[in-house]
Amino acid sequence: LLIGAALAYGVSFGASVAVAEIKIGVLVPDSGPAGLFGPSTRNSAMLAAEQINAAGGINGEAIKILFADVGVPPAEATQAALRLWRGKGVEAFVGMHDSGVREALLGRFKGQVPFVYTPVYEGNACAAGLYATGETPSQQLAPVIPYLMSTKSVSKWYLIGHDYNWPRDTNVLAKQYIAKAGGQVVGEEYLPMSVAEYDSSLQKIKARGADAVLITLVGGGSVGFNVAYAGFGLDQQAIRLGTLIEENTLAGIGATNANGLYASAGYFSTIN
């Protein structure tokens, strides 16, 4: 009643009612291959802010979200974040983007602003002000690779990903897990984010006799590769495993192109 009366008073007499707020920059990929995740990332952030604000905010301050597109090259992404930080007064950041952008942002922030990094990543990220909440290969691949090798009787792995630190560093560990389980890597390939044609890669997978493929392609790249993979008939030769195949990517791939496609993520255990 008191709040209602105060608001009514403010409206009646033209006075403004001050509301304490904390500005949080949410860095999302609205463009590039990871742009596939943009809308759901924005929706998740807005839902979280709504729920937190309904519960009283953070130390009594309401969250105000300011978004920036970081689906661009790292140098452009850091400029977008800098505009929010220095220009708009953002006091903390939450990022859902690739690891290359993360490293560029850490170089810019230098521990001066809290930075929560949420996606799955390659591990071993350590810097002042960084809070990484995503899963790493030791959680997503260490138990899954030997399980698939045993249950699906596969041993010859082909590794394909985009050309930056998440796929490369993930595969350093993946090769250890494969070797420990008695398998071998018959091919390893890293593609630019701009690649949209996969015939050459598919030919290599077929020619090298791979019976399992580990995919560390992002968003739209993963969709394009997996659709082409099924169209090429490789789903009859080799199973596929991805650690960044969630609902958006799977919807893009489609059920008819998902034969023998496996995904590993901890949150699967919380949904029906």
Side-chain angles (χ1 to χ4, degrees):
L1 289 174
L2 289 173
I3 293 173
L7 289 174
Y9 185 90
V11 171
S12 298
F13 293 92
S16 61
V17 179
V19 177
E21 65 180 16
I22 179 171
K23 294 180 180 178
I24 296 181
V26 178
L27 308 175
V28 302
D30 287 323
S31 53
L36 187 67
F37 311 134
S40 60
T41 302
R42 285 174 172 265
N43 289 341
S44 296
M46 290 188 290
L47 176 60
E50 180 182 317
Q51 292 176 342
I52 292 169
N53 287 343
I58 299 176
N59 293 331
E61 296 181 317
I63 291 174
K64 180 179 180 180
I65 292 178
L66 285 78
F67 288 102
D69 175 21
V70 291
V72 293
E76 295 178 39
T78 56
Q79 289 303 309
L82 188 62
R83 285 191 289 271
L84 293 186
W85 183 25
R86 299 303 192 190
K88 301 290 186 179
V90 159
E91 299 174 65
F93 285 94
V94 178
M96 206 303 276
H97 45 73
D98 70 53
S99 291
V101 168
R102 183 196 69 236
E103 292 303 300
L105 289 172
L106 289 173
R108 175 68 72 173
F109 293 156
K110 299 185 185 300
Q112 299 174 72
V113 60
F115 176 29
V116 179
Y117 185 66
T118 66
V120 300
Y121 74 114
E122 65 282 359
N124 294 322
C126 184
L130 174 66
Y131 302 85
T133 65
E135 293 163 58
T136 63
S138 64
Q139 296 165 305
Q140 290 187 287
L141 294 179
V144 175
I145 285 175
Y147 170 80
L148 287 176
M149 289 177 64
S150 174
T151 59
K152 299 300 174 182
S153 300
V154 298
S155 61
K156 298 179 180 179
W157 289 81
Y158 193 98
L159 315 180
I160 185 167
H162 278 131
D163 191 7
Y164 70 102
N165 50 334
W166 172 60
R168 287 184 175 276
D169 292 347
T170 292
N171 286 340
V172 168
L173 296 173
K175 286 184 281 190
Q176 297 175 18
Y177 305 146
I178 290 168
K180 186 176 180 180
Q184 61 178 310
V185 174
V186 296
E188 184 175 1
E189 185 176 5
Y190 299 97
L191 306 175
M193 289 281 195
S194 58
V195 167
E197 190 276 316
Y198 303 97
D199 286 355
S200 175
S201 301
L202 299 174
Q203 291 282 6
K204 293 175 187 176
I205 293 170
K206 182 177 181 179
R208 298 184 187 183
D211 53 20
V213 179
L214 177 59
I215 303 166
T216 47
L217 296 165
V218 176
S222 181
V223 170
F225 172 79
N226 279 290
V227 170
Y229 187 99
F232 203 73
L234 277 174
D235 57 324
Q236 302 301 313
Q237 173 181 319
I239 65 169
R240 291 163 282 171
L241 169 62
T243 56
L244 193 57
I245 297 178
E246 39 56 75
E247 288 77 3
N248 297 298
T249 305
L250 189 59
I253 294 169
T256 58
N257 299 313
N259 177 50
L261 175 62
Y262 294 85
S264 171
Y267 79 94
F268 292 166
S269 65
T270 68
I271 58 178
N272 293 327

